[in-house]
Amino acid sequence: MAGPIEESVQLTQEWVKAFHEGNAEALSALFARDGVYISWAGPFPTMGREAIRATFAGFFKAFPIRQLLMRDESRKAYGDTVTLYNNWTLIYGDGKGPLKTVWGRNSSVTIMVEGRRLIIEQHNSFFPIAGP
């Protein structure tokens, strides 16, 4: 039987697969019903599974070309709660213009809810711009 860390790793693999496939339904199903997603692309949190599905469906439609590379993963288990921190690179495009590349970081919290491990909060942000 898998422990909290192993379940979190599997959840991350499912998330990345759904993202690359452009499957907003599968991706949003990895969030709790009242889960929160805070995107690098906007200032306000997206709250609830249906709103998260709609957010990703819009992104996938606008940018059919996308590749996400994750690195520097760190997971900590506190009882049944798992926190994840990682850095990422996203290459994406609309197929009409040049590809864009952005770099950022993610922090997520997962718990056992609705009979399985799900994301209750995920926050993505750009790396800060380095000063002089």
Side-chain angles (χ1 to χ4, degrees):
M1 184 169 200
I5 295 288
E6 293 81 12
E7 292 167 350
S8 174
V9 169
Q10 181 178 347
L11 182 66
T12 299
Q13 291 168 346
E14 292 174 43
W15 194 102
V16 171
K17 181 178 187 287
F19 184 86
H20 285 143
E21 291 174 351
N23 188 338
E25 191 69 38
L27 195 147
S28 65
L30 301 173
F31 285 81
R33 248 183 249 115
D34 59 351
V36 176
Y37 173 69
I38 303 169
S39 172
W40 56 271
F44 303 108
T46 303
M47 302 168 106
R49 188 180 286 149
E50 177 52 32
I52 292 168
R53 186 206 60 74
T55 295
F56 279 102
F59 182 81
F60 296 155
K61 183 176 181 182
F63 302 106
I65 300 168
R66 64 195 161 274
Q67 180 67 42
L68 179 68
L69 309 165
M70 297 198 315
R71 62 192 180 284
D72 307 324
E73 289 189 10
S74 171
R75 293 174 203 273
K76 305 278 189 235
Y78 302 93
D80 202 38
T81 301
V82 176
T83 62
L84 162 67
Y85 174 86
N86 67 349
N87 298 321
W88 49 262
T89 302
L90 174 62
I91 302 164
Y92 67 103
D94 61 9
K96 299 173 189 159
L99 294 177
K100 298 176 184 175
T101 302
V102 293
W103 298 267
R105 56 187 164 208
N106 163 65
S107 61
S108 300
V109 179
T110 66
I111 63 171
M112 291 300 289
V113 63
E114 301 173 37
R116 70 168 288 193
R117 180 160 302 282
L118 294 173
I119 301 164
I120 58 170
E121 184 170 306
Q122 184 175 77
H123 179 200
N124 288 285
S125 60
F126 288 134
F127 283 136
I129 297 172

